[in-house]
Amino acid sequence: MFIMKRIKLWGVVLFSMVAYLAVSCAVEVDEKTEDIQERIFNAFIRTNGWENAERLGDSTYIVERSGTGTGTNPSDSMYGFVRYTAQYTTGDYAAYNYDSIAKQLGTYEESSIYEPFVWPIRTGDVSDPLCDILKNMKPGEKTLSVVAPWTNTTNSTYAFTSTSAPIVYSIELLKVVPDIQEYEYEQLQQFSNKYFEGMDSLSQGFYFKKIHASEYADTIADGNAIRVKYVGRLLNGKVFDTNIEDTAKKYDLYNPMEEYNSMSVVYNVDPETIEKEEDLVLGFCKALTSGGMTYGDKCFVFFVSDLGYGGNGNLDNGSGIPPYCPISFEVWIEEYEKA
């Protein structure tokens, strides 16, 4: 509430400042946009009484710390697991990954992902100011920070950034890992130990289990069209996608504008060929070609993000798959139908 009240108060100050700058710019026509942004940013800092806050460079202030951080600060090329909010100076939310905030705002949807995001701590992925903030935190700590607009130059899938206005970030650093790929391998093995009695991977980072075998003995020929049903889940069990109507309704994903039909896929024994021609993630394609899968068979697969949506993820307005997220699929190949 302390933050929200002060940010809302700034709305009046911001309006006055913009009006002043509009008149000022009529006279000082040569004033650069960067100079105007800097004046607005500095006025915002002063209005909130943050002049003596912890400063990182000339564009970022850490104005509040909470929680008990442990361990060492992360360094370049590590990966931080983050929950965060990004707010405009008016107090309105620009982005967040807390389900509690979505419920508070009335924007909660089952299709959206409210999980900690993995932020690579390196330039080019997360903006420099956010990297600097993370490198000045310890796991378990939470910070409130203000970032100037002229340094938010990264268009990233990892975190909201703005190039036109200051943004107030609340960042909670849950944990840090030095190698995200090794971390994913560990997560998949733990998943296998818990649900599949320690089943080994079929190939590095890819686990396959046939859960129903049909009586159809023949293999599928290259070039044949097969009909496929599926359910996609995160490793925590959250369903993020399906083409089965009853399942969509069960998990509040149902969209009456969609048709819930089996997906048609042109089969090829090489999963990379299917990936290229059908524009599907490689792990899903490997599910169709592994373990002698044929008509009427059903399998369960789970795999690393490199076989899924990788380090970019597949988020669209909060729904989809976050970056560096292992996923699983139940996959059914429908029975063979004679022409």
Side-chain angles (χ1 to χ4, degrees):
M1 291 300 294
F2 169 78
I3 301 166
M4 292 296 293
K5 286 179 181 177
R6 290 199 168 189
I7 290 175
K8 286 181 179 178
L9 175 62
W10 170 245
V12 178
V13 178
L14 180 62
F15 178 80
S16 300
M17 178 64 71
V18 171
Y20 166 77
L21 290 174
V23 175
S24 176
C25 287
V27 178
E28 300 175 28
V29 292
D30 293 332
E31 186 173 22
K32 296 180 180 180
T33 301
E34 293 82 358
D35 295 333
I36 296 173
Q37 288 180 336
E38 184 174 3
R39 290 166 63 187
I40 293 175
F41 179 69
N42 290 335
F44 178 60
I45 295 298
R46 290 194 301 272
T47 299
N48 284 278
W50 291 336
E51 302 97 314
N52 297 321
E54 186 178 348
R55 189 167 185 171
L56 306 178
D58 63 352
S59 63
T60 307
Y61 289 83
I62 296 179
V63 300
E64 186 178 307
R65 291 180 182 268
S66 59
T68 304
T70 59
T72 58
N73 297 82
S75 57
D76 286 332
S77 299
M78 289 186 171
Y79 297 81
F81 286 72
V82 170
R83 286 196 180 276
Y84 85 109
T85 66
Q87 290 176 273
Y88 297 111
T89 55
T90 58
D92 294 325
Y93 285 98
Y96 51 86
N97 60 356
Y98 289 91
D99 59 351
S100 58
I101 291 178
K103 291 174 181 177
Q104 173 188 336
L105 298 176
T107 59
Y108 180 85
E109 294 181 358
E110 282 293 338
S111 60
S112 293
I113 303 298
Y114 304 102
E115 299 292 325
F117 289 176
V118 178
W119 286 5
I121 305 173
R122 59 175 179 261
T123 300
D125 289 324
V126 176
S127 66
D128 288 348
L130 294 182
C131 283
D132 290 341
I133 293 169
L134 289 178
K135 286 188 285 188
N136 280 273
M137 296 177 66
K138 295 181 185 295
E141 191 174 16
K142 188 173 183 178
T143 58
L144 179 71
S145 304
V146 187
V147 174
W150 60 84
T151 56
N152 277 325
T153 57
T154 300
N155 292 321
S156 173
T157 59
Y158 303 102
F160 176 84
T161 59
S162 169
T163 57
S164 60
I167 297 295
V168 180
Y169 290 94
S170 173
I171 299 174
E172 184 178 6
L173 181 60
L174 303 177
K175 60 184 172 185
V176 175
V177 298
D179 188 325
I180 193 61
Q181 189 172 63
E182 287 301 321
Y183 178 81
E184 287 188 34
Y185 289 152
E186 292 173 4
Q187 292 299 105
L188 290 169
Q189 188 57 56
Q190 291 174 15
F191 187 85
S192 176
N193 294 342
K194 184 174 181 178
Y195 296 106
F196 293 94
E197 299 180 343
M199 175 181 70
D200 290 333
S201 60
L202 195 63
S203 58
Q204 191 172 38
F206 177 78
Y207 292 74
F208 172 94
K209 176 72 173 179
K210 186 178 286 188
I211 53 181
H212 175 76
S214 70
E215 296 180 356
Y216 193 90
D218 294 341
T219 58
I220 304 172
D222 286 356
N224 278 13
I226 57 175
R227 306 292 299 179
V228 180
K229 294 181 178 179
Y230 65 88
V231 179
R233 291 183 173 88
L234 305 184
L235 293 190
N236 63 8
K238 179 179 177 61
V239 175
F240 63 83
D241 190 21
T242 183
N243 62 350
I244 302 171
E245 184 172 337
D246 288 346
T247 303
K249 290 179 177 178
K250 178 179 179 180
Y251 292 99
D252 294 326
L253 299 177
Y254 179 72
N255 183 350
M257 303 300 291
E258 292 186 11
E259 293 185 3
Y260 290 87
N261 298 320
S262 300
M263 177 173 58
S264 179
V265 176
V266 177
Y267 183 84
N268 193 288
V269 69
D270 176 21
E272 292 185 358
T273 299
I274 301 177
E275 175 193 24
K276 180 179 179 180
E277 294 183 354
E278 302 289 342
D279 194 26
L280 301 170
V281 298
L282 184 55
F284 185 93
C285 301
K286 288 169 70 71
L288 300 174
T289 61
S290 298
M293 286 285 286
T294 189
Y295 297 103
D297 285 358
K298 178 180 179 181
C299 70
F300 188 89
V301 295
F302 47 105
F303 46 85
V304 291
S305 64
D306 280 349
L307 299 176
Y309 295 97
N312 291 323
N314 186 37
L315 286 172
D316 182 16
N317 292 323
S319 63
I321 307 300
Y324 299 106
C325 184
I327 55 177
S328 71
F329 282 97
E330 285 181 77
V331 178
W332 296 262
I333 299 178
E334 291 189 342
E335 294 284 351
Y336 176 73
E337 295 183 4
K338 294 182 180 181

